[in-house]
Amino acid sequence: MLESKRHNRPMPKPPSVPAASKALSAPQKVLRKMGLDRDIDLALHLPLRYEDETRIVKLRDAREGDTVQIEGTVTACEVSFKPRRQLLVTLDDGSDTCVMRFFSFYPSHQKSMAVGNRIRARGEVRGGFMGMTMMHPSFKTTGGALPEALTPVYPTVAGLPQTYLRRAVLTGLAHADVTETLPAGVHSPDPRGLWDLRASLQFLHHPTPEVSMAELEDRTHPAWIRLKCEELLAQQLSQLTAKRERDRLRAPRLSVHPAGLSERLLAALPFALTGAQQRVTAEIAQDLARAVPMHRLLQGDVGAGKTVVAALAAMVAIDAGWQCALMAPTEILASQHFGKLVGWLEPLGIQVAWLTGSQKKKERQAMLQAVSSGEAALVVGTHALIQEQVQFKQLGLAVIDEQHRFGVAQRLALRGKMQEEGMEPHMLMMTATPIPRTLAMSYYADLDVSVLDELPPGRTPVVTKVVSDSRRDEVVERISAQLAQGRQVYWVCPLIEESEALDLTNATQTHADLSDALPGVMVGLLHSRMPVAEKKAVMDLFNSGVMGVLVSTTVIEVGVDVPNASLMVIEHAERFGLSQLHQLRGRVGRGAAASACVLLYGTPDGGRLSETARERLRAMVDTNDGFEIARRDLEIRGPGEFLGARQSGAPLLRFADLSTDGHLLEWARALAPEMLDRHALLARRHIARWLGGKSEYLKA
Ligand code: ADP
Ligand code: MG
């Protein structure tokens, strides 16, 4: 963000929202790029901070470090070349003098600050052996009356000077339609009452000097509360609208068959469902039985047992004569699902097909044929599932695993595999990254959410230790001990973003070191650049227990399931995100054996870890609870990154902060359905005001 200093070069005229066909000036183009097209967008572009230009401070009263506005007469104006070229202007305000320094300046500067001129300048006072100085203060020549309100400083970018933006916002604010959209008599979430939108905007752009700066800065002022309420309401309204539109579409009614495939699968499983799995399975069955497309997000920590829940949903669809698709983000994960589902379903006489990008042409043709003829009732695969050639006979249910790893377009494409007009398949989206409640209520308000909040029995919690890289030898001893007990071990190497090659060297080196240190043990290597067949061969060896140690880059992040693995070492753990560490750790502790996770950290210069890095690793030691980890991760990274693909292109909350504004979110959630039911016109105006054309993304 840049802020332009005010000086006296002529500025282009402020915009009056030009028609698209007219040529745009450079700053107008920047405005458009920033999404500040409409008057209302400008009016909603709120200041970052304020400058107090309502007062003039005498130099005698100014202290070093203060940012003040002064006014006086220029007594000297000269260009000096020592130590480098600069303009030095001395200002005398009658109480003292101050030297203003400009390292970049135009001839116009010298002209407007000629000796004898009166100048009003604003900047930070510094001491020095020449007396008081100001570096690059902003200044004006004419005195004029002092403003009555604080001066707003707006977020801007290069090419959009602050003065220009200020005038544009002022124009926008004057022209924007800010008439009330809240129904009369609406309950206020704030005991101080709900401010009017117009008054709130007017105030936030031009607050009076006596306002509490703290209330403005921490956004607790009633004017801020009103804006946050508006924003949250727009979000809830648009998602609820999307949900209601979807509810008007049709989907096949899929009812559970008594003594059907679900019953048979349950009887054949080597375990009984947990209470949470039973509850969630019933929630899904209820959705499937309706003639309205399901849109459900299944959240469950790593290892909670989402796959069997998905399989049971598939049984319902297949029993009713429809096909089911299961899409996973990586080939490894898809092949794991495929293996598991074939094992469960083929004994029940169900044909499972398999589609990935790396498939041989002949095999692929056969699979495509089985899918289009309907012979294959279940199709498992990667993104290959949504390619054009893939035609289902009749797709009734689409399951997306690790849904956050897919983009909006991909989810829409899978939905589009339903052949009939006006019909949609039921959708079940699954994620192992639990979404904290407020975030789910806010960004996923259009989805129904099921939570698997119980792990299958017999798992011992993973014990996590943070260990310095200098103690690697001890870690290797620990590995030997596990291997001696017939257990298996994962060793994960970090992703070095700048260089995949470096990444690889690191993993290869570790692989070689461990092979040397553990004679007689099969140590495997797995990384993302390996051909798929080779990856599969390595995974097969590890799955079957022949391979004792698997060194890998983060390709194992999702879905790998080897219950005999009881130790995971994560190298340079400080480089991983919290959720990622948690997912990785979820690969161990899947069997009954006590399991451990060692977080190795390295510090390049032997120094100490940064405070945030330590905090993150500490969080991993403190808790195994995915929701708690997600909450801390959200705190550290903020919702933008946390939400990932779902939000690509969709507006994130600008004003409300879900960690402090939960009560405002509740307010908006309660009001949204009532508004859609009873004040549809107001609701539509509200959405248009806040989201313009940006609400489409929320439909995926
Ligand atoms: P995730 O939710 O991470 O996808 P999975 O579906 O891969 O978890 O399940 C993890 C492991 O737990 C698998 O080996 C699965 O067969 C097993 N599992 C699932 N449900 C149960 C259960 N109710 N009791 C025992 N084991 C279960
Ligand atoms: Mg899974």
Side-chain angles (χ1 to χ4, degrees), residues 467-689:
V467 175
S468 160
D469 195 48
S470 58
R471 289 165 56 198
R472 243 176 140 90
D473 291 349
E474 291 165 46
V475 175
V476 173
E477 272 166 37
R478 211 173 162 148
I479 295 178
S480 297
Q482 287 299 309
L483 293 170
Q485 291 176 36
R487 301 285 168 205
Q488 289 165 280
V489 177
Y490 292 105
W491 184 296
V492 184
C493 296
L495 188 76
I496 299 167
E497 292 208 351
E498 315 84 77
S499 158
E500 222 181 310
L502 213 61
D503 225 21
L504 199 54
T505 328
N506 183 9
T508 318
Q509 187 59 48
T510 303
H511 175 247
D513 292 349
L514 286 175
S515 303
D516 285 349
L518 301 164
V521 175
M522 186 190 276
V523 180
L525 176 63
L526 192 66
H527 58 78
S528 50
R529 287 225 187 135
M530 269 157 67
V532 173
E534 218 174 294
K535 271 189 208 166
K536 187 167 178 313
V538 172
M539 277 315 300
D540 285 348
L541 284 167
F542 194 67
N543 276 326
S544 65
V546 177
M547 183 180 284
V549 181
L550 178 62
V551 176
S552 84
T553 54
T554 49
V555 285
I556 63 155
E557 185 187 341
V558 285
V560 178
D561 186 15
V562 179
N564 189 46
S566 59
L567 175 62
M568 170 170 289
V569 181
I570 304 178
E571 202 173 322
H572 279 297
E574 77 280 2
R575 295 188 193 159
F576 291 89
L578 256 188
S579 294
Q580 207 184 6
L581 284 175
H582 180 65
Q583 293 232 341
L584 283 167
R585 179 172 61 180
R587 302 304 116 210
V588 289
R590 302 204 143 198
S595 299
C597 176
V598 173
L599 303 175
L600 276 182
Y601 66 90
T603 42
D605 44 11
R608 285 160 61 83
L609 273 182
S610 78
E611 187 50 46
T612 39
R614 249 182 307 158
E615 219 170 279
R616 262 187 301 150
L617 297 184
R618 205 175 303 137
M620 289 295 295
V621 175
D622 286 351
T623 179
N624 270 306
D625 175 352
F627 276 88
E628 177 58 20
I629 300 242
R631 204 185 52 71
R632 297 206 197 174
D633 197 24
L634 177 64
E635 249 171 40
I636 296 170
R637 291 194 298 164
E641 244 185 283
F642 188 91
L643 289 164
R646 175 173 172 90
Q647 290 309 120
S648 54
L652 282 168
L653 292 171
R654 285 190 283 163
F655 303 139
D657 175 351
L658 295 175
S659 60
T660 51
D661 299 329
H663 63 301
L664 305 181
L665 178 60
E666 297 284 2
W667 172 88
R669 247 164 75 92
L671 181 57
E674 188 200 317
M675 252 180 100
L676 283 182
D677 291 339
R678 304 194 22 221
H679 309 277
L681 197 64
L682 289 178
R684 225 172 312 143
R685 272 180 44 215
H686 191 90
I687 295 175
R689 171 179 294 167

Side-chain angles (χ1 to χ4, degrees), residues 405-455:
R405 312 250 301 210
F406 290 96
V408 172
Q410 292 165 324
R411 286 195 292 258
L412 286 174
L414 187 58
R415 227 159 82 183
K417 291 289 178 191
M418 164 73 98
Q419 303 290 335
E420 277 175 64
E421 263 312 294
M423 290 271 269
E424 288 216 348
H426 295 282
M427 297 277 285
L428 177 64
M429 290 158 274
M430 308 203 288
T431 182
T433 306
I435 301 158
R437 188 164 166 276
T438 46
L439 205 60
M441 280 184 352
S442 176
Y443 289 99
Y444 292 81
D446 60 328
L447 297 187
D448 296 307
V449 178
S450 290
V451 183
L452 278 181
D453 49 8
E454 181 187 354
L455 291 182

Side-chain angles (χ1 to χ4, degrees), residues 279-485:
R279 190 191 67 235
V280 167
T281 302
E283 285 167 1
I284 293 170
Q286 264 182 18
D287 286 359
L288 294 178
R290 297 173 63 216
V292 168
M294 168 171 79
H295 232 70
R296 189 169 282 278
L297 179 67
L298 171 56
Q299 297 187 35
D301 210 341
V302 249
K306 295 184 287 296
T307 318
V308 69
V309 172
L312 286 165
M315 292 308 90
V316 177
I318 294 168
D319 244 347
W322 293 78
Q323 286 170 297
C324 172
L326 169 60
M327 182 161 77
T330 65
E331 188 129 0
I332 291 190
L333 185 51
S335 93
Q336 290 248 337
H337 281 325
F338 180 67
K340 185 159 259 179
L341 290 165
V342 165
W344 284 343
L345 306 188
E346 277 192 348
L348 305 179
I350 298 169
Q351 189 180 332
V352 185
W354 159 247
L355 277 172
T356 70
S358 67
Q359 227 156 12
K360 295 241 161 55
K361 199 163 174 207
K362 211 162 147 209
E363 187 191 1
R364 184 177 168 75
Q365 282 308 331
M367 291 294 174
L368 286 174
Q369 167 62 27
V371 176
S372 65
S373 69
E375 270 166 77
L378 176 63
V379 189
V380 179
T382 57
H383 304 82
L385 278 179
I386 52 178
Q387 282 166 352
E388 222 171 289
Q389 311 91 294
V390 185
Q391 298 239 329
F392 288 82
K393 179 147 182 273
Q394 45 176 4
L395 180 62
L397 169 66
V399 182
I400 302 185
D401 197 14
E402 302 296 335
Q403 64 91 23
H404 60 283
R405 312 250 301 210
F406 290 96
V408 172
Q410 292 165 324
R411 286 195 292 258
L412 286 174
L414 187 58
R415 227 159 82 183
K417 291 289 178 191
M418 164 73 98
Q419 303 290 335
E420 277 175 64
E421 263 312 294
M423 290 271 269
E424 288 216 348
H426 295 282
M427 297 277 285
L428 177 64
M429 290 158 274
M430 308 203 288
T431 182
T433 306
I435 301 158
R437 188 164 166 276
T438 46
L439 205 60
M441 280 184 352
S442 176
Y443 289 99
Y444 292 81
D446 60 328
L447 297 187
D448 296 307
V449 178
S450 290
V451 183
L452 278 181
D453 49 8
E454 181 187 354
L455 291 182
R459 305 238 172 111
T460 20
V462 181
V463 175
T464 302
K465 291 225 152 68
V466 177
V467 175
S468 160
D469 195 48
S470 58
R471 289 165 56 198
R472 243 176 140 90
D473 291 349
E474 291 165 46
V475 175
V476 173
E477 272 166 37
R478 211 173 162 148
I479 295 178
S480 297
Q482 287 299 309
L483 293 170
Q485 291 176 36

